Amino acid sequence: MKNTFRVLPLLLLPCLAIAQEKAPVIAPYNHLNMRELYLDSTGHHTALKTILHEDTSHLYDSDPVKRNWFHRKLFKEHLFEFREPDFNVFVDFLPDWQIGRSNRDKTLWLNTRGGRVQGNIGKKFYFETSFYENQGVYPVYLDSFVSRKRVIPGQGMIKYNDKIGKAYDYSYVNALISYTPSKYVNFTLGYGTNSYGDGYRSLILSDIGFSYPYLRITGNLGQFQYTSMWAQFMDTEGRTYGQAYEGRGYPKKWGVFHFLDWNASKKLTIGLFDAVVWGNVDTAGNKRGFDFSYINPIIFLRPSEYSVGSSDNSLLGMNAKYKLFPKTTLYGQFVLDEFKLKEFFGGNGWWANKWSTQFGFRSFDLFKVNKLDLQGELNVVRPYTYSFRNTLANYAHYGQSLAHPLGANFTEVLGIASYTYKRWYVRGQLNYSSYGLDATAESNVGQDIFKSYDKRNTDYNNKIGQGLKTNLFYGQGTIAFVLNPKYNLRLEASAALRNEKNDLRTNREFIFNFGLRSTFRQFYYDF
C-alpha cells in the first residue's frame, strides 16, 4: 500500500502537466521526425506534406536543474516563446553559416540570416512565416546550373551585387496559414512547396523547387483522405524582362492537383493523383488567366481538360506503400504523362510513351539498433516525360522540374543511412544515375524538359538513357551535433564527392563544408 501511494504521484505527473498547459502546441512534422508516423500502427496518411500534429515534447522536461536564460535559448527553447491560454507564438533566428573548400581550387562559403515566426490559435489555426537573406559561393557544378537557370536550386533568383564580387546574393520567403474547423477538413493557404509521396524523391509532385502560392483543401473521412490544390507557377525559361513582358515579370502558369489516399488496410495504402498545368497566356500571346473549368474540387481532370477542347498538360499517377514488417515499409509511384493503348504496348519506343516509376523501402532501427535507419530507392523516367510543346505548360516552375531534379530520360539508384544518438546525428548518402544528354544545342533526346517535344529527334525507337550517355556518382557524408532541437540548430561537417562522366568530358569535384546551421529546410544538391 505504501508503494502504491509512492507510485501514484509519478503516474499523475503527465496528467498534471497537461492540465497546467495553457494551450496545445501545433507544429508541422519535418523530415527528421517523419519516422514516428511510419512506426505508428494507426494508419497515418504520410504521402502528402505538410502534416501538422500536436507537439507535447515540452511537457516532459527531464532536466531537473533550473538553467539560465542563455542556456535555455541555446539548447532547449525557441528564442522567444509566448504561451497563453488561447495561443502560442514562437520566434527563432535561423543562421546558416558555412565555410568550405572544393578541390577545384575554390573557397566556398555561405552567409544566411533567417528568421521564423510560427504559432497556433487553439487547435484550429496554425500559421508560419520565414525569411532568409543569403550570400554565398557555391561549388563549380552548382555554378554551372546557376549560370544556365539564374536561380539557386530551390531558393529563387540571384541578384547581382558588386560589393560581394563573384558570390551570389539572393533571398526568399515562405508562409503558411492553416485552418482546421473540424477533424474532417483542413484549409491551407501558403507560399511554399508541396510534396506527394513516401520517397526521398517524388515523381508526382516534389519539394525540390522554389516557393509558389497555393490553396489546398484536404478532407478526411474514415480511411480516405482527399486533397485539391490550386497553385500558380512561374515560367522563367520563356519570355523574360525586357521583352514582351517588360515591367510585369516572367509569364505565370497555373496548376490544379487532386490526390485521393486510401488506407485499404493497416498495411496497405493506395493513392491516386491527377494534375493539369496551363499557361497564363495562350500560344498566340493572348491572356488566358485562371481557367474556372478546373475550379470544381471533385472532378477527374483529364475528362474536364478534354471536354473544354484545351491543349493543357495533364498527368495521372498512383502512389502506394505497404508495411512489410513493423519497421519496414515498401513504397512506389507510377506517373503517366501520355497514353495511347496501341503504342504503349507496341514495344516500338514511341516518343509519347511518357511515364515514370519509383520503387523503394524505408527500414527503421536496423539490426535492432535504435534510430539506425536505412532507405533505398530506384527511379526511372522515360524520355520527354514532364515536357510539353512549350515552357508555358511544362511540368516545371522557376527553372526546375516539379518532379525530379534530373528531368527525364534517366535511371537513378540511391541509398540513405542515418543514425541518431542523443544529440549526435550521422548521415550517409550514395546516388548513382545514368542518363542521356543532348550532344548539341539543336538536339532533343528527351532529358531537358524545357525543350519542346515538338522538336524531338525521332518518333520511334526511343529508349531510356538515349543520347550522350552520362554516368553520375554522388556521395555525401554528414556528422552533426544538435545544439537545439526546436529549430535544428547544429554544428555540422560534411564532405561530398560528385563525379559526372561521358565521352565529351569528366567533371569531378570533392567538397568539404563546416558550419553552424539551423532550420529543417531540405535542399537537393545531389544532381
Side-chain angles (χ1 to χ4, degrees):
M1 182 64 70
K2 291 181 179 181
N3 290 334
T4 301
F5 282 105
R6 289 174 181 172
V7 173
L8 185 60
L10 297 177
L11 296 176
L12 291 175
L13 278 177
C15 300
L16 292 173
I18 294 174
Q20 293 171 358
E21 172 63 12
K22 294 182 178 181
V25 176
I26 307 300
Y29 278 100
N30 57 72
H31 65 277
L32 295 179
N33 61 16
M34 281 292 292
R35 71 189 310 274
E36 300 173 9
L37 297 180
Y38 288 94
L39 292 174
D40 201 330
S41 59
T42 56
H44 290 282
H45 295 279
T46 56
L48 184 65
K49 285 79 170 180
T50 302
I51 303 174
L52 298 177
H53 70 111
E54 186 174 334
D55 182 7
T56 59
S57 60
H58 65 287
L59 299 178
Y60 308 98
D61 189 350
S62 59
D63 188 354
V65 181
K66 183 66 176 178
R67 303 292 186 174
N68 60 45
W69 183 91
F70 180 80
H71 185 277
R72 297 198 317 272
K73 298 304 175 183
L74 181 60
F75 295 107
K76 298 179 60 178
E77 299 178 356
H78 298 280
L79 180 60
F80 298 106
E81 297 188 356
F82 303 95
R83 301 178 186 271
E84 298 296 335
D86 298 321
F87 67 87
N88 301 286
V89 176
F90 307 109
V91 182
D92 292 306
F93 171 64
L94 306 175
D96 195 348
W97 298 324
Q98 298 183 59
I99 187 72
R101 187 71 179 172
S102 165
N103 69 322
R104 304 287 290 271
D105 195 26
K106 189 175 185 181
T107 298
L108 315 174
W109 57 268
L110 179 65
N111 178 19
T112 295
R113 293 86 60 211
R116 180 181 66 174
V117 179
Q118 61 180 153
N120 63 279
I121 303 174
K123 293 186 177 181
K124 295 184 177 182
F125 282 97
Y126 172 80
F127 63 89
E128 178 180 330
T129 183
S130 56
F131 172 81
Y132 302 91
E133 180 64 32
N134 317 266
Q135 293 83 36
V137 174
Y138 282 86
V140 173
Y141 81 96
L142 289 178
D143 282 342
S144 176
F145 176 90
V146 176
S147 67
R148 299 193 315 270
K149 302 292 185 178
R150 306 182 304 282
V151 300
I152 303 294
Q155 300 167 80
M157 190 69 61
I158 60 173
K159 299 179 290 184
Y160 294 99
N161 188 338
D162 295 335
K163 296 180 180 179
I164 58 175
K166 296 182 179 180
Y168 298 120
D169 188 354
Y170 59 100
S171 60
Y172 65 99
V173 297
N174 295 311
L176 172 70
I177 300 175
S178 176
Y179 174 52
T180 309
S182 72
K183 65 179 182 179
Y184 300 109
V185 66
N186 171 266
F187 299 89
T188 298
L189 181 65
Y191 184 76
T193 59
N194 294 267
S195 178
Y196 188 78
D198 294 278
Y200 173 72
R201 308 291 198 192
S202 175
L203 303 179
I204 291 178
L205 180 62
S206 175
D207 59 351
I208 67 171
F210 185 53
S211 301
Y212 49 83
Y214 64 90
L215 170 64
R216 193 174 73 203
I217 303 175
T218 303
N220 293 280
L221 185 62
Q223 298 171 309
F224 294 91
Q225 181 185 76
Y226 183 79
T227 299
S228 290
M229 185 179 76
W230 300 265
Q232 186 185 68
F233 305 116
M234 192 172 293
D235 177 23
T236 57
E237 301 291 309
R239 287 167 286 192
T240 62
Y241 295 100
Q243 298 182 12
Y245 283 79
E246 183 176 1
R248 289 182 287 169
Y250 292 99
K252 308 297 190 297
K253 54 185 178 181
W254 301 88
V256 56
F257 307 82
H258 294 153
F259 310 100
L260 175 63
D261 209 40
W262 174 37
N263 285 331
S265 68
K266 290 184 178 181
K267 292 187 174 184
L268 177 65
T269 299
I270 299 173
L272 300 177
F273 157 84
D274 63 3
V276 170
V277 177
W278 70 95
N280 200 46
V281 296
D282 59 25
T283 54
N286 300 314
K287 184 175 176 59
R288 178 183 177 186
F290 183 83
D291 192 330
F292 284 90
S293 61
Y294 298 133
I295 200 169
N296 188 334
I298 309 176
I299 60 172
F300 292 100
L301 288 176
R302 184 64 177 113
S304 176
E305 181 257 350
Y306 180 79
S307 67
V308 298
S310 76
S311 57
D312 301 331
N313 188 10
S314 61
L315 294 90
L316 299 173
M318 183 177 73
N319 187 82
K321 70 173 182 179
Y322 182 78
K323 184 169 283 192
L324 184 64
F325 304 114
K327 294 187 178 182
T328 299
T329 298
L330 306 179
Y331 61 85
Q333 291 184 333
F334 181 74
V335 175
L336 195 61
D337 192 7
E338 198 85 28
F339 181 75
K340 192 173 181 180
L341 184 64
K342 178 182 177 181
E343 301 285 4
F344 189 83
F345 293 103
N348 51 17
W350 187 46
W351 75 273
N353 284 342
K354 299 186 293 179
W355 53 262
S356 59
T357 189
Q358 176 188 90
F359 178 76
F361 71 90
R362 290 174 176 261
S363 188
F364 304 98
D365 299 336
L366 203 63
F367 307 121
K368 298 183 179 180
V369 178
N370 187 39
K371 295 188 177 180
L372 174 60
D373 303 334
L374 179 65
Q375 182 175 11
E377 190 170 293
L378 169 68
N379 296 294
V380 180
V381 181
R382 283 271 303 171
Y384 306 106
T385 307
Y386 307 116
S387 64
F388 200 61
R389 60 176 56 93
N390 55 56
T391 57
L392 286 171
N394 69 334
Y395 204 63
H397 164 65
Y398 231 91
Q400 289 187 270
S401 170
L402 286 171
H404 197 286
L406 289 177
N409 191 28
F410 69 87
T411 300
E412 177 191 52
V413 180
L414 64 88
I416 301 172
S418 64
Y419 176 59
T420 302
Y421 177 74
K422 296 183 178 179
R423 292 186 179 238
W424 288 96
Y425 175 71
V426 181
R427 182 182 184 274
Q429 176 178 345
L430 294 175
N431 293 35
Y432 174 76
S433 306
S434 179
Y435 47 88
L437 296 176
D438 297 320
T440 65
E442 294 75 23
S443 177
N444 183 8
V445 298
Q447 187 272 334
D448 187 350
I449 69 171
F450 293 94
K451 289 186 175 181
S452 171
Y453 58 47
D454 286 340
K455 299 180 179 180
R456 56 191 176 270
N457 281 12
T458 180
D459 285 348
Y460 291 95
N461 298 317
N462 291 281
K463 299 179 181 179
I464 298 172
Q466 65 186 11
L468 179 61
K469 185 177 180 181
T470 305
N471 295 318
L472 172 66
F473 172 81
Y474 181 90
Q476 184 187 46
T478 301
I479 183 169
F481 181 79
V482 179
L483 298 172
N484 192 324
K486 290 294 185 181
Y487 51 99
N488 198 24
L489 180 67
R490 62 201 185 275
L491 291 170
E492 179 180 291
S494 67
L497 173 64
R498 182 184 185 273
N499 188 63
E500 183 184 35
K501 185 177 181 179
N502 55 43
D503 290 339
L504 297 182
R505 60 188 177 271
T506 297
N507 296 319
R508 183 182 179 90
E509 192 165 9
F510 179 76
I511 305 152
F512 174 78
N513 282 294
F514 175 80
L516 177 67
R517 312 192 64 191
S518 64
T519 82
F520 295 100
R521 297 174 298 163
Q522 188 171 12
F523 300 132
Y524 300 86
Y525 296 154
D526 51 346
F527 61 91

